[in-house]
Amino acid sequence: MRLAGWLVSLTLVAGAPVAAQDVPQGLLPDVAAPTAYRIDLTIVPENERFSGHVEIDVDLKKAARSLFLHGRDLNMARAVARVGKRSFAATYTQVDPLGVAKLDFKTALPKGKVTLAFDYDAPFASSAAGLYRVKVADKWYAWTQFQSIDARGAFPSFDEPGHKTPFTVTLTTTPGLLALGNAPEVDTATAGALVKHSFAPTRPLPTYLVAFVVGPMAVAHGSVRPSPQRATPLPLRIVATEPNKDKLAFALENSGPIVTLLERYFGTEFPFPKLDQIASPVMGGAMENAGADIYDDSLLLLDANAPVAQQQLFGMVVAHELAHQWFGDLVTPKWWDDLWLNESFANWMGYRIGNEWRPDLQIGVGALAEAFTAMNTDALAAGRPIHQPIATNAEIDSAFDAVTYGKGGQVVAMIAAYLGDEKFREGVRLHLGRHAYGSATSEDFFAALAEAAEDVRIVSSLKSFVDQQGVPVVRVERKADGLSVSQSRYHLLGSQVPAQTWSIPLCVKLGAQRQCSLLDAPGATIPLTGDGAIMPNAGGTGYYRFSLSGEEWGKLIEAGPSLPAGEALALNDSLWADMRAGNAAPALVVRAAKLMAGNAYSDAATSGGSRLASLRRRGLIGGGALPAYRATLDAIYAPMLEKLGLDLKAGAYRAENPDRRQLRESVVGLLAGEARDNGVRATLVPAARSFLAGHEDALDPAFFDAAFGAYVAEGGQVAAEDLFKRALESEDALSRTAMLDAVAGSGDATVGQWLLGRLAEGPRASEQVRLVRALAYEPETRAMALAWLISHYDRLVSENGIFAAGRFPTIAEAGCSIADADRAEAWLRPKVVQYKRGALELDRTVEQIRSCAALKEARGDEIAAMFD
C-alpha cells in the first residue's frame, strides 16, 4: 500500500523529528526556488523499479539547516548539497504521505546558489500516476502522468506549478527501445549493456508538465506544415504500443490541422520545438505535457470504422490538450487555485477548434451538453466555486471536476460571446504575450480581458460565476406587459441552499422575437409579448436553468421537435431539473421524451430515454412499473429505428451523415438495453457471435456495447465468462472496454458475484475501478459492488494512485434511499479521512442519494404512474 510505503521510508531515512503541525500541507516555505533540473533516470520497463540521479540548482533565499521539498516513496541512497566546491551531506526524510520531504544538514547552507543532488530508486506505479509501467501483450512499456502532484513519485522536486525551470533529461534503457521526453533527442551513447538517450534542455516548465516514455513503441513520423505563424515544419510523431501499429494514421493525418487552427487563433507559433502524440492503454483521459501529449488509446488510435462518438472525442480532446500548449504550458498558473483558468479555457477551445476541424461532427454542441451535465454537480449544496482557494495538497484534486471543465468552459463561452470574438481573442493574446514561459493568476487574465474590452464591468460579470458556486434558475412568467423574470439559486428537492444572485447574460425568445439583457437584479420585466412558446435560454448558451408553469412547459415541449440543437438540450435539461426540484409534473418528462424524439439533433432526440433510464437505475422505476416503462421506450424508439434501418456490418454507414449514424447507435442502445426489444436483440446476438468467432467485419464498433450487452443477456454467466476472457486477451481499446462493460452492466446478480470474484485476476487496476462502478450503477449488483469496494479499497488506492482515490466515493452515487446514504457515509468516510482524498466527492455523493430519496418520497407514486 502507498501509506505503508511512506511509513517504511520514514523508518529507513529518519532525520530530525518533525511535528505534524510543522509539515507544510500546501505551498512550501518560500526559502528555496529551483532554477534548473538535471534528471538522469534508468528506466527498464520489465523491472519492478527504476533508479535515478537528480540535480536541482536552487536559489536559497536565506541560510538554512533544513529544507522542505517533495518526494514520495523514493528509496534515497544519497542526498547532498553542493555550494561551489563544498559538499554538505543531507538526511532525507519523507514527512507526509502525500509526498512532502525534508532535508536536514549538520551545517547551515549559506544563502545563494546551491545544487541539491540525489541518488535513489523507486517502484514503478501500475496505473497512470507517476512513472508507471504496463504489460501489453508480452512486452513492458513505461509512461508518466504527473498532474497534479505525482512528479514527486518519480524524482525529488519542488513540485509546484509556479516553479518553472529548464529540465535537462537523460534516459538510460534497454537497446532497441524508444525513449522520449519533452524536448528533442540530441544524442545516444552506450552505457554498459544499456543505451543512454540525451535530450535538449526544455523550455521553462513546471514539474507536472514533464514527461518520459520508454518502450518498444510503434511510431509514425510526420510533420505539421508551415503556417503564417511558423516558418518551418513542426516535427510530429504518433506513438503507441506495438499491437496498435496499424492505428496511427488517423492521428498523424489530423493532429497537424488542429495545431494550425490553434496557431491561427493564438496568433503565434506552436510554443515547443516538436510534438509527440502518445497513446497509453491505461491513461483514462489525456495530459498536455509540453511537446509530449499522452492520451488514452481510445482517444488517439482510430481506425477506418471509428464510431462518430470516438471521432468527436478525438477532435475535442486533441484540440483541448493542444490548446494547453499555449494556455497552461506556455503560461502556467502560479498555484492550483487558478487551475480552473487552464482547464475551463482549454475546454472551451477544445469544442471550438474541434468544431472548426470537422464541422460535420457537430462537436461544438457538445460543449452545451457538458455544461448542462456539470449543472447536476454544481446544483448541490456540497460544492465549490470554479475559482477555489486551495490551501493543502489534499484539496488539489477536487478542482479536477465537472465544475472546472463543464461549467468553467461554458462561462468562458458566455463571456466570449458577450465581448465578441475579436475582443476576447485580443485579451487572450495579450495575456499570453505578457506571461510567455512564465506563470500568471486569474487576476492577470481578468486584467487582460478588461483592457482588451475597454470595459471593466466584464470582470464583475465573470466573477459572479467564477467566485460563487451554484446554478442560477430563472423563473419566467407571461404577463400583460411582457415576460416577468426572476432569479434564484437552483436546488434539488430536499436540499437547502443560500440565497444568491448573479449577473446573468440572459437571452430569451418568444416565438420569432429574441432579446438579450444582463439580469443583475433579483427580478426584471422583458418587454416581449405574444402567443408563441417561451424559450428562456435562446441558443442554449447561457449557464443557467429555467422554470416555467405547467402550461408554458406544454407549449415549449410542443415546439421541441423544431428547436435548434442548443435550445433542445436546454429544454431537456431544465424540464428535468424542474421536475427534480419538485415543480414540473413527472408526466411532462415522458411527454417530452416522446415529442423530442422528432428533433433533428441526435442527442436531443434520445436524451429523454437516457434520462428515464437513470431513474430506472436508481430504483425510482421498478417492480410493476417496469413493463410499462419498457413498452413506452419501445413505442418511442422502435419506429425511429425502422426508418433509420439497421445493418450491423463494419463500415456499412461510413458515408452517412455523422449525426444520423450517432442517432442510430443511441436508438439501438436504448432498444436493446432499456426496452429489451426482442427483435433488436435477436439481430445483435448473431452479429456478436460472428465477431467473436473471428469475423470482425460482422459488427461495426458503433454497436459493440449493444451487441455484447445482448450477448450476455441471452447467454447469462456462460456468455459473461466468455466475454471476460476474450476482453483480457484483447489490446483493442474499444472492443476490450465494451466486452468488460457488458459483463459488469448486465444487471444480473449471479454474473455480478462471479465478476467480483475475478476482478483481481486480470483486469488492469483502472479497469477494476471502472467495472465496480458499472456494477454499482445497477440496482441488482449495487450492494455487492460497494461491499467489494470497501474490502479492496486500500489495494485500489495503492494500485491506482492517490489521485484516483479521490473519485472512489462517487461509485456509490446511484443509491436512492436514506439507508444508502447512511451506508455510503459509514463505509466511505473512514477511507476518505485515512487517505485525505475525496471529502467533497463523498459529501456530494451523500447529498445526491438523499435528494433522490426525497424525490422518491415526494413523487415516487407520480413517477411510477407516468407510463400509464
Side-chain angles (χ1 to χ4, degrees), residues 2 123-135 140 143 282 764-766 768 795-801:
R2 184 64 55 86
F124 284 105
S126 59
S127 62
L131 175 50
Y132 64 97
R133 67 176 191 142
V134 177
K135 192 174 187 179
W140 286 96
W143 299 260
V282 299
R764 294 162 180 153
S766 58
Q768 293 177 40
R795 179 181 61 78
L796 290 174
V797 172
S798 176
E799 294 179 359
N800 285 274

PDB file of all heavy atoms in Angstrom, residues 2 123-135 140 143 282 764-766 768 795-801:
ATOM      1  N   ARG A   2       0.334   2.295  -0.593  1.00  0.00           N
ATOM      2  CA  ARG A   2       1.083   3.543  -0.642  1.00  0.00           C
ATOM      3  C   ARG A   2       1.361   4.075   0.753  1.00  0.00           C
ATOM      4  O   ARG A   2       2.446   4.559   1.066  1.00  0.00           O
ATOM      5  CB  ARG A   2       0.274   4.578  -1.461  1.00  0.00           C
ATOM      6  CG  ARG A   2       0.970   5.896  -1.674  1.00  0.00           C
ATOM      7  CD  ARG A   2       2.238   5.758  -2.513  1.00  0.00           C
ATOM      8  NE  ARG A   2       1.999   5.117  -3.785  1.00  0.00           N
ATOM      9  CZ  ARG A   2       1.614   5.747  -4.888  1.00  0.00           C
ATOM     10  NH1 ARG A   2       1.397   7.029  -4.866  1.00  0.00           N
ATOM     11  NH2 ARG A   2       1.447   5.096  -6.009  1.00  0.00           N
ATOM     12  N   PRO A 123       9.706   2.318  -6.903  1.00  0.00           N
ATOM     13  CA  PRO A 123       8.882   1.370  -7.661  1.00  0.00           C
ATOM     14  C   PRO A 123       8.123   2.062  -8.787  1.00  0.00           C
ATOM     15  O   PRO A 123       7.696   3.210  -8.663  1.00  0.00           O
ATOM     16  CB  PRO A 123       7.909   0.837  -6.605  1.00  0.00           C
ATOM     17  CG  PRO A 123       7.766   1.987  -5.645  1.00  0.00           C
ATOM     18  CD  PRO A 123       9.106   2.667  -5.607  1.00  0.00           C
ATOM     19  N   PHE A 124       7.946   1.356  -9.896  1.00  0.00           N
ATOM     20  CA  PHE A 124       7.005   1.820 -10.906  1.00  0.00           C
ATOM     21  C   PHE A 124       5.585   1.752 -10.338  1.00  0.00           C
ATOM     22  O   PHE A 124       5.251   0.843  -9.573  1.00  0.00           O
ATOM     23  CB  PHE A 124       7.052   0.931 -12.146  1.00  0.00           C
ATOM     24  CG  PHE A 124       8.233   1.136 -13.042  1.00  0.00           C
ATOM     25  CD1 PHE A 124       9.269   0.212 -13.049  1.00  0.00           C
ATOM     26  CD2 PHE A 124       8.312   2.227 -13.889  1.00  0.00           C
ATOM     27  CE1 PHE A 124      10.363   0.373 -13.885  1.00  0.00           C
ATOM     28  CE2 PHE A 124       9.401   2.401 -14.734  1.00  0.00           C
ATOM     29  CZ  PHE A 124      10.433   1.482 -14.727  1.00  0.00           C
ATOM     30  N   ALA A 125       4.754   2.693 -10.721  1.00  0.00           N
ATOM     31  CA  ALA A 125       3.323   2.573 -10.454  1.00  0.00           C
ATOM     32  C   ALA A 125       2.715   1.621 -11.488  1.00  0.00           C
ATOM     33  O   ALA A 125       3.316   1.332 -12.527  1.00  0.00           O
ATOM     34  CB  ALA A 125       2.662   3.935 -10.529  1.00  0.00           C
ATOM     35  N   SER A 126       1.515   1.143 -11.199  1.00  0.00           N
ATOM     36  CA  SER A 126       0.851   0.218 -12.122  1.00  0.00           C
ATOM     37  C   SER A 126      -0.308   0.860 -12.872  1.00  0.00           C
ATOM     38  O   SER A 126      -0.953   0.212 -13.698  1.00  0.00           O
ATOM     39  CB  SER A 126       0.343  -1.010 -11.365  1.00  0.00           C
ATOM     40  OG  SER A 126      -0.561  -0.632 -10.340  1.00  0.00           O
ATOM     41  N   SER A 127      -0.589   2.128 -12.566  1.00  0.00           N
ATOM     42  CA  SER A 127      -1.626   2.863 -13.288  1.00  0.00           C
ATOM     43  C   SER A 127      -1.122   4.273 -13.538  1.00  0.00           C
ATOM     44  O   SER A 127      -0.007   4.625 -13.142  1.00  0.00           O
ATOM     45  CB  SER A 127      -2.934   2.879 -12.491  1.00  0.00           C
ATOM     46  OG  SER A 127      -2.746   3.543 -11.265  1.00  0.00           O
ATOM     47  N   ALA A 128      -1.935   5.089 -14.190  1.00  0.00           N
ATOM     48  CA  ALA A 128      -1.476   6.395 -14.661  1.00  0.00           C
ATOM     49  C   ALA A 128      -1.334   7.395 -13.513  1.00  0.00           C
ATOM     50  O   ALA A 128      -2.112   8.338 -13.364  1.00  0.00           O
ATOM     51  CB  ALA A 128      -2.437   6.927 -15.709  1.00  0.00           C
ATOM     52  N   ALA A 129      -0.292   7.184 -12.705  1.00  0.00           N
ATOM     53  CA  ALA A 129       0.021   8.083 -11.594  1.00  0.00           C
ATOM     54  C   ALA A 129       1.511   7.984 -11.337  1.00  0.00           C
ATOM     55  O   ALA A 129       1.984   6.951 -10.863  1.00  0.00           O
ATOM     56  CB  ALA A 129      -0.774   7.706 -10.347  1.00  0.00           C
ATOM     57  N   GLY A 130       2.269   9.034 -11.659  1.00  0.00           N
ATOM     58  CA  GLY A 130       3.708   8.991 -11.518  1.00  0.00           C
ATOM     59  C   GLY A 130       4.352   8.339 -12.727  1.00  0.00           C
ATOM     60  O   GLY A 130       3.898   8.485 -13.871  1.00  0.00           O
ATOM     61  N   LEU A 131       5.451   7.633 -12.501  1.00  0.00           N
ATOM     62  CA  LEU A 131       6.128   6.869 -13.552  1.00  0.00           C
ATOM     63  C   LEU A 131       5.600   5.439 -13.467  1.00  0.00           C
ATOM     64  O   LEU A 131       5.855   4.733 -12.496  1.00  0.00           O
ATOM     65  CB  LEU A 131       7.642   6.924 -13.341  1.00  0.00           C
ATOM     66  CG  LEU A 131       8.542   6.098 -14.270  1.00  0.00           C
ATOM     67  CD1 LEU A 131       8.221   6.322 -15.739  1.00  0.00           C
ATOM     68  CD2 LEU A 131      10.005   6.413 -13.981  1.00  0.00           C
ATOM     69  N   TYR A 132       4.829   5.024 -14.471  1.00  0.00           N
ATOM     70  CA  TYR A 132       4.130   3.746 -14.383  1.00  0.00           C
ATOM     71  C   TYR A 132       4.486   2.842 -15.557  1.00  0.00           C
ATOM     72  O   TYR A 132       4.939   3.288 -16.603  1.00  0.00           O
ATOM     73  CB  TYR A 132       2.620   3.952 -14.314  1.00  0.00           C
ATOM     74  CG  TYR A 132       1.985   4.584 -15.537  1.00  0.00           C
ATOM     75  CD1 TYR A 132       1.393   3.806 -16.523  1.00  0.00           C
ATOM     76  CD2 TYR A 132       1.947   5.977 -15.698  1.00  0.00           C
ATOM     77  CE1 TYR A 132       0.788   4.377 -17.637  1.00  0.00           C
ATOM     78  CE2 TYR A 132       1.350   6.565 -16.809  1.00  0.00           C
ATOM     79  CZ  TYR A 132       0.773   5.752 -17.772  1.00  0.00           C
ATOM     80  OH  TYR A 132       0.186   6.319 -18.880  1.00  0.00           O
ATOM     81  N   ARG A 133       4.285   1.550 -15.349  1.00  0.00           N
ATOM     82  CA  ARG A 133       4.556   0.575 -16.401  1.00  0.00           C
ATOM     83  C   ARG A 133       3.345  -0.334 -16.586  1.00  0.00           C
ATOM     84  O   ARG A 133       2.581  -0.588 -15.644  1.00  0.00           O
ATOM     85  CB  ARG A 133       5.792  -0.265 -16.075  1.00  0.00           C
ATOM     86  CG  ARG A 133       5.621  -1.178 -14.877  1.00  0.00           C
ATOM     87  CD  ARG A 133       6.830  -2.064 -14.635  1.00  0.00           C
ATOM     88  NE  ARG A 133       6.505  -3.098 -13.643  1.00  0.00           N
ATOM     89  CZ  ARG A 133       6.938  -4.346 -13.690  1.00  0.00           C
ATOM     90  NH1 ARG A 133       7.733  -4.729 -14.663  1.00  0.00           N
ATOM     91  NH2 ARG A 133       6.592  -5.214 -12.761  1.00  0.00           N
ATOM     92  N   VAL A 134       3.179  -0.805 -17.818  1.00  0.00           N
ATOM     93  CA  VAL A 134       2.061  -1.684 -18.160  1.00  0.00           C
ATOM     94  C   VAL A 134       2.579  -2.733 -19.132  1.00  0.00           C
ATOM     95  O   VAL A 134       3.356  -2.421 -20.044  1.00  0.00           O
ATOM     96  CB  VAL A 134       0.900  -0.897 -18.813  1.00  0.00           C
ATOM     97  CG1 VAL A 134      -0.224  -1.850 -19.228  1.00  0.00           C
ATOM     98  CG2 VAL A 134       0.373   0.172 -17.875  1.00  0.00           C
ATOM     99  N   LYS A 135       2.128  -3.961 -18.937  1.00  0.00           N
ATOM    100  CA  LYS A 135       2.467  -5.030 -19.877  1.00  0.00           C
ATOM    101  C   LYS A 135       1.375  -5.117 -20.928  1.00  0.00           C
ATOM    102  O   LYS A 135       0.198  -5.295 -20.623  1.00  0.00           O
ATOM    103  CB  LYS A 135       2.608  -6.367 -19.150  1.00  0.00           C
ATOM    104  CG  LYS A 135       3.245  -7.468 -19.999  1.00  0.00           C
ATOM    105  CD  LYS A 135       3.500  -8.722 -19.169  1.00  0.00           C
ATOM    106  CE  LYS A 135       4.286  -9.754 -19.976  1.00  0.00           C
ATOM    107  NZ  LYS A 135       4.556 -10.970 -19.167  1.00  0.00           N
ATOM    108  N   TRP A 140       6.736  -4.974 -21.950  1.00  0.00           N
ATOM    109  CA  TRP A 140       6.528  -3.929 -20.950  1.00  0.00           C
ATOM    110  C   TRP A 140       6.833  -2.553 -21.539  1.00  0.00           C
ATOM    111  O   TRP A 140       7.762  -2.392 -22.330  1.00  0.00           O
ATOM    112  CB  TRP A 140       7.424  -4.164 -19.735  1.00  0.00           C
ATOM    113  CG  TRP A 140       6.978  -5.296 -18.866  1.00  0.00           C
ATOM    114  CD1 TRP A 140       7.423  -6.576 -18.903  1.00  0.00           C
ATOM    115  CD2 TRP A 140       5.991  -5.244 -17.826  1.00  0.00           C
ATOM    116  NE1 TRP A 140       6.780  -7.349 -17.957  1.00  0.00           N
ATOM    117  CE2 TRP A 140       5.894  -6.543 -17.270  1.00  0.00           C
ATOM    118  CE3 TRP A 140       5.190  -4.230 -17.301  1.00  0.00           C
ATOM    119  CZ2 TRP A 140       5.036  -6.854 -16.229  1.00  0.00           C
ATOM    120  CZ3 TRP A 140       4.330  -4.533 -16.258  1.00  0.00           C
ATOM    121  CH2 TRP A 140       4.254  -5.830 -15.727  1.00  0.00           C
ATOM    122  N   TRP A 143       5.321   4.931 -19.042  1.00  0.00           N
ATOM    123  CA  TRP A 143       4.882   6.300 -19.325  1.00  0.00           C
ATOM    124  C   TRP A 143       4.874   7.092 -18.012  1.00  0.00           C
ATOM    125  O   TRP A 143       5.049   6.508 -16.937  1.00  0.00           O
ATOM    126  CB  TRP A 143       3.449   6.334 -19.868  1.00  0.00           C
ATOM    127  CG  TRP A 143       3.153   5.630 -21.135  1.00  0.00           C
ATOM    128  CD1 TRP A 143       3.038   6.170 -22.378  1.00  0.00           C
ATOM    129  CD2 TRP A 143       2.832   4.233 -21.303  1.00  0.00           C
ATOM    130  NE1 TRP A 143       2.688   5.208 -23.303  1.00  0.00           N
ATOM    131  CE2 TRP A 143       2.556   4.017 -22.677  1.00  0.00           C
ATOM    132  CE3 TRP A 143       2.770   3.160 -20.433  1.00  0.00           C
ATOM    133  CZ2 TRP A 143       2.218   2.768 -23.184  1.00  0.00           C
ATOM    134  CZ3 TRP A 143       2.444   1.903 -20.930  1.00  0.00           C
ATOM    135  CH2 TRP A 143       2.172   1.714 -22.288  1.00  0.00           C
ATOM    136  N   VAL A 282      -3.825   2.792 -20.340  1.00  0.00           N
ATOM    137  CA  VAL A 282      -4.475   2.981 -19.041  1.00  0.00           C
ATOM    138  C   VAL A 282      -4.607   4.450 -18.676  1.00  0.00           C
ATOM    139  O   VAL A 282      -4.911   4.783 -17.532  1.00  0.00           O
ATOM    140  CB  VAL A 282      -3.712   2.232 -17.926  1.00  0.00           C
ATOM    141  CG1 VAL A 282      -3.679   0.743 -18.198  1.00  0.00           C
ATOM    142  CG2 VAL A 282      -2.301   2.783 -17.739  1.00  0.00           C
ATOM    143  N   ARG A 764      -6.788  -4.635 -15.526  1.00  0.00           N
ATOM    144  CA  ARG A 764      -5.848  -3.639 -15.016  1.00  0.00           C
ATOM    145  C   ARG A 764      -6.483  -2.880 -13.861  1.00  0.00           C
ATOM    146  O   ARG A 764      -7.695  -2.871 -13.682  1.00  0.00           O
ATOM    147  CB  ARG A 764      -5.465  -2.692 -16.148  1.00  0.00           C
ATOM    148  CG  ARG A 764      -4.668  -3.389 -17.249  1.00  0.00           C
ATOM    149  CD  ARG A 764      -4.654  -2.606 -18.538  1.00  0.00           C
ATOM    150  NE  ARG A 764      -3.880  -3.310 -19.559  1.00  0.00           N
ATOM    151  CZ  ARG A 764      -4.077  -3.191 -20.868  1.00  0.00           C
ATOM    152  NH1 ARG A 764      -5.046  -2.393 -21.319  1.00  0.00           N
ATOM    153  NH2 ARG A 764      -3.327  -3.864 -21.726  1.00  0.00           N
ATOM    154  N   ALA A 765      -5.625  -2.229 -13.077  1.00  0.00           N
ATOM    155  CA  ALA A 765      -6.119  -1.549 -11.877  1.00  0.00           C
ATOM    156  C   ALA A 765      -7.209  -0.536 -12.208  1.00  0.00           C
ATOM    157  O   ALA A 765      -8.240  -0.458 -11.527  1.00  0.00           O
ATOM    158  CB  ALA A 765      -4.950  -0.872 -11.162  1.00  0.00           C
ATOM    159  N   SER A 766      -7.010   0.249 -13.259  1.00  0.00           N
ATOM    160  CA  SER A 766      -8.013   1.240 -13.628  1.00  0.00           C
ATOM    161  C   SER A 766      -9.294   0.581 -14.117  1.00  0.00           C
ATOM    162  O   SER A 766     -10.402   1.102 -13.911  1.00  0.00           O
ATOM    163  CB  SER A 766      -7.458   2.175 -14.708  1.00  0.00           C
ATOM    164  OG  SER A 766      -7.046   1.436 -15.850  1.00  0.00           O
ATOM    165  N   GLN A 768     -10.486  -2.267 -12.997  1.00  0.00           N
ATOM    166  CA  GLN A 768     -11.200  -2.756 -11.825  1.00  0.00           C
ATOM    167  C   GLN A 768     -12.112  -1.672 -11.252  1.00  0.00           C
ATOM    168  O   GLN A 768     -13.260  -1.939 -10.874  1.00  0.00           O
ATOM    169  CB  GLN A 768     -10.210  -3.229 -10.767  1.00  0.00           C
ATOM    170  CG  GLN A 768      -9.415  -4.456 -11.170  1.00  0.00           C
ATOM    171  CD  GLN A 768      -8.392  -4.853 -10.126  1.00  0.00           C
ATOM    172  OE1 GLN A 768      -8.663  -4.791  -8.933  1.00  0.00           O
ATOM    173  NE2 GLN A 768      -7.209  -5.250 -10.568  1.00  0.00           N
ATOM    174  N   ARG A 795      -6.046  -1.625  -1.474  1.00  0.00           N
ATOM    175  CA  ARG A 795      -5.305  -2.121  -2.636  1.00  0.00           C
ATOM    176  C   ARG A 795      -5.569  -1.251  -3.860  1.00  0.00           C
ATOM    177  O   ARG A 795      -4.641  -0.928  -4.628  1.00  0.00           O
ATOM    178  CB  ARG A 795      -5.685  -3.569  -2.933  1.00  0.00           C
ATOM    179  CG  ARG A 795      -4.962  -4.144  -4.153  1.00  0.00           C
ATOM    180  CD  ARG A 795      -5.377  -5.578  -4.439  1.00  0.00           C
ATOM    181  NE  ARG A 795      -6.799  -5.713  -4.734  1.00  0.00           N
ATOM    182  CZ  ARG A 795      -7.351  -5.405  -5.919  1.00  0.00           C
ATOM    183  NH1 ARG A 795      -6.599  -4.927  -6.898  1.00  0.00           N
ATOM    184  NH2 ARG A 795      -8.642  -5.585  -6.111  1.00  0.00           N
ATOM    185  N   LEU A 796      -6.810  -0.838  -4.051  1.00  0.00           N
ATOM    186  CA  LEU A 796      -7.141   0.001  -5.198  1.00  0.00           C
ATOM    187  C   LEU A 796      -6.426   1.345  -5.134  1.00  0.00           C
ATOM    188  O   LEU A 796      -5.979   1.878  -6.154  1.00  0.00           O
ATOM    189  CB  LEU A 796      -8.657   0.209  -5.289  1.00  0.00           C
ATOM    190  CG  LEU A 796      -9.487  -1.010  -5.685  1.00  0.00           C
ATOM    191  CD1 LEU A 796     -10.975  -0.699  -5.580  1.00  0.00           C
ATOM    192  CD2 LEU A 796      -9.138  -1.471  -7.100  1.00  0.00           C
ATOM    193  N   VAL A 797      -6.324   1.916  -3.939  1.00  0.00           N
ATOM    194  CA  VAL A 797      -5.582   3.168  -3.791  1.00  0.00           C
ATOM    195  C   VAL A 797      -4.125   2.945  -4.146  1.00  0.00           C
ATOM    196  O   VAL A 797      -3.512   3.729  -4.887  1.00  0.00           O
ATOM    197  CB  VAL A 797      -5.707   3.712  -2.353  1.00  0.00           C
ATOM    198  CG1 VAL A 797      -4.773   4.905  -2.147  1.00  0.00           C
ATOM    199  CG2 VAL A 797      -7.147   4.126  -2.063  1.00  0.00           C
ATOM    200  N   SER A 798      -3.552   1.869  -3.633  1.00  0.00           N
ATOM    201  CA  SER A 798      -2.139   1.581  -3.896  1.00  0.00           C
ATOM    202  C   SER A 798      -1.877   1.391  -5.380  1.00  0.00           C
ATOM    203  O   SER A 798      -0.895   1.897  -5.921  1.00  0.00           O
ATOM    204  CB  SER A 798      -1.724   0.315  -3.130  1.00  0.00           C
ATOM    205  OG  SER A 798      -0.405  -0.052  -3.435  1.00  0.00           O
ATOM    206  N   GLU A 799      -2.778   0.694  -6.084  1.00  0.00           N
ATOM    207  CA  GLU A 799      -2.531   0.359  -7.477  1.00  0.00           C
ATOM    208  C   GLU A 799      -2.960   1.446  -8.449  1.00  0.00           C
ATOM    209  O   GLU A 799      -2.416   1.545  -9.553  1.00  0.00           O
ATOM    210  CB  GLU A 799      -3.246  -0.949  -7.823  1.00  0.00           C
ATOM    211  CG  GLU A 799      -2.677  -2.160  -7.068  1.00  0.00           C
ATOM    212  CD  GLU A 799      -3.400  -3.440  -7.405  1.00  0.00           C
ATOM    213  OE1 GLU A 799      -4.352  -3.398  -8.214  1.00  0.00           O
ATOM    214  OE2 GLU A 799      -3.001  -4.499  -6.866  1.00  0.00           O
ATOM    215  N   ASN A 800      -3.936   2.263  -8.071  1.00  0.00           N
ATOM    216  CA  ASN A 800      -4.428   3.305  -8.967  1.00  0.00           C
ATOM    217  C   ASN A 800      -3.833   4.677  -8.676  1.00  0.00           C
ATOM    218  O   ASN A 800      -3.945   5.577  -9.495  1.00  0.00           O
ATOM    219  CB  ASN A 800      -5.958   3.407  -8.896  1.00  0.00           C
ATOM    220  CG  ASN A 800      -6.635   2.274  -9.628  1.00  0.00           C
ATOM    221  OD1 ASN A 800      -6.851   2.335 -10.830  1.00  0.00           O
ATOM    222  ND2 ASN A 800      -6.977   1.219  -8.890  1.00  0.00           N
ATOM    223  N   GLY A 801      -3.224   4.838  -7.519  1.00  0.00           N
ATOM    224  CA  GLY A 801      -2.650   6.133  -7.170  1.00  0.00           C
ATOM    225  C   GLY A 801      -3.598   6.945  -6.323  1.00  0.00           C
ATOM    226  O   GLY A 801      -4.827   6.821  -6.399  1.00  0.00           O
TER     227      GLY A 801
END
